[in-house]
Amino acid sequence: MADTKTFPDTDASLLADHRVESTYRNVNGVQLHVVAAGETDAPLVVLLHGHPDFWYGWRAQIISLLEAGFRVVVPDQRGCNLSQAPAGIDPYRIPNLCDDIRELIHDEGRDSAHVVGHDFGAYVAWNLALRQPSVVNRLGILNVPHPTVYRDTLRASLQQILRSWYVWFYQVPKLPEWMLSRNEMENMVASLEVTSNQGTFDEETIHRYRAAWRHTGVGPRINWYRGFRRSERPARNTVTQPTLICWGEDDIALVPAMAQKSIDYCENGQLRMFPDTSHWVHHEREEVTEALLQHLS
């Protein structure tokens, strides 16, 4: 049976805080919905969500960073929620996702910013730091390994191959879109619940996620993973920016050994492991926000 409830707006009004506003930015040939807060001349932090998230996944960090004196900019990445969703796979290749963020930073009148990412947003953040290092001041990574570590682990670890089943499934034409869209996106809801600790996503929060998914559908999000498979590697492996990795040890999709291996590719890296914590580490542990504030300050 279809869900007949009225779905909420999915812009900055979800936070009910007059300091936080929705804006629309034309960057890199797409229009992005961007939630922004803070003085325009304050130190700039860009927060990048992953799949199946949208800007709202950073709600706790937005307020904390704002009150700490930062300018916070949180885009719905292309293909998500209120942002434009180009057709096809090539628009979702990693270089295009990186260029979106570079141009967004420049649209803020800055040459560079602190960049923090979770899930696929962290993969974009790693790549931005490697491909365009002058754009990133400090890097924050939540529960995603360095690109080289992920690639090498996939070659050597049967456990990680099995945990990455969904990456291979998303390469199949049309079937993933059908599977994730049917029954009011119940499989998308299940992906939130299965990958998190019990109670991380309550009924009202899931209601808001359903509303966000309805805007562009699931196809563009799946094309992120198809575009990822079509993307060339960064020219360098070593991250020169000060980097903080926060990792929930109970992530069911990623083996935790990749966290320490990722630090080995950072000239100035720090790792915080969080036991009894899922992939959604920044939702479940307030210490993550505290660690990010200390790192970015």
Side-chain angles (χ1 to χ4, degrees):
M1 179 180 295
D3 189 341
T4 58
K5 292 189 289 186
T6 300
F7 280 81
D9 294 331
T10 53
D11 60 10
S13 63
L14 285 176
L15 292 188
D17 189 319
H18 71 278
R19 300 172 297 175
V20 183
E21 63 174 355
S22 280
T23 65
Y24 288 86
R25 314 290 182 87
N26 293 309
V27 297
N28 195 30
V30 295
Q31 185 180 76
L32 299 183
H33 170 247
V34 178
V35 171
E39 299 295 331
T40 56
D41 60 350
L44 178 62
V45 181
V46 179
L47 305 177
L48 302 179
H49 70 83
H51 172 74
D53 215 343
F54 67 116
W55 73 265
Y56 184 66
W58 292 107
R59 56 196 178 278
Q61 289 73 37
I62 291 170
I63 300 304
S64 293
L65 288 163
L66 170 63
E67 293 180 348
F70 289 96
R71 168 76 171 170
V72 189
V73 170
V74 193
D76 283 323
Q77 293 204 72
R78 62 167 63 194
C80 299
N81 190 31
L82 301 176
S83 287
Q84 188 176 352
I89 296 173
D90 284 346
Y92 300 93
R93 292 169 60 249
I94 295 297
N96 287 327
L97 298 176
C98 289
D99 287 347
D100 288 352
I101 307 310
R102 181 200 65 205
E103 292 197 16
L104 177 60
I105 292 170
H106 292 169
D107 190 65
E108 282 283 311
R110 313 296 183 92
D111 294 324
S112 60
H114 304 311
V115 179
V116 180
H118 171 250
D119 187 81
F120 206 98
Y123 198 80
V124 174
W126 277 120
N127 273 272
L128 185 63
L130 290 167
R131 295 169 188 266
Q132 303 178 48
S134 64
V135 175
V136 179
N137 296 331
R138 286 177 173 263
L139 182 65
I141 297 292
L142 309 184
N143 271 77
V144 159
H146 183 285
T148 299
V149 171
Y150 184 63
R151 184 178 68 248
D152 291 349
T153 304
L154 276 179
R155 292 173 174 171
S157 169
L158 177 60
Q159 183 183 25
Q160 186 55 57
I161 291 172
L162 294 174
R163 289 192 184 199
S164 297
W165 67 268
Y166 60 94
V167 177
W168 319 120
F169 174 63
Y170 288 167
Q171 308 309 311
V172 178
K174 298 183 180 180
L175 181 60
E177 286 90 334
W178 177 79
M179 286 289 293
L180 294 180
S181 299
R182 63 193 296 269
N183 296 333
E184 293 295 311
M185 303 187 185
E186 276 301 323
N187 284 324
M188 292 280 277
V189 173
S191 73
L192 290 178
E193 295 176 337
V194 168
T195 59
S196 64
N197 285 341
Q198 186 174 3
T200 299
F201 295 96
D202 60 22
E203 182 177 354
E204 181 59 30
T205 301
I206 289 175
H207 186 55
R208 293 172 174 180
Y209 274 80
R210 283 187 193 269
W213 299 332
R214 286 187 167 203
H215 285 293
T216 57
V218 301
R221 295 172 178 269
I222 294 169
N223 281 338
W224 281 5
Y225 291 87
R226 293 170 178 154
F228 150 72
R229 295 288 295 167
R230 294 187 180 190
S231 299
E232 67 276 9
R233 302 175 188 174
R236 57 175 58 83
N237 281 327
T238 302
V239 175
T240 58
Q241 299 89 342
T243 301
L244 171 68
I245 300 176
C246 295
W247 196 284
E249 293 182 11
D250 293 345
D251 192 321
I252 66 170
L254 299 165
V255 295
M258 291 193 291
Q260 182 58 57
K261 292 178 181 178
S262 296
I263 285 292
D264 294 340
Y265 284 91
C266 301
E267 286 187 357
N268 181 6
Q270 177 187 2
L271 174 62
R272 293 281 306 275
M273 300 293 290
F274 293 89
D276 304 316
T277 307
S278 79
H279 178 72
W280 299 90
V281 61
H282 58 313
H283 289 235
E284 296 174 3
R285 297 293 291 267
E286 292 182 2
E287 298 97 316
V288 171
T289 303
E290 295 167 3
L292 286 172
L293 286 169
Q294 183 177 4
H295 174 61
L296 300 179
S297 298

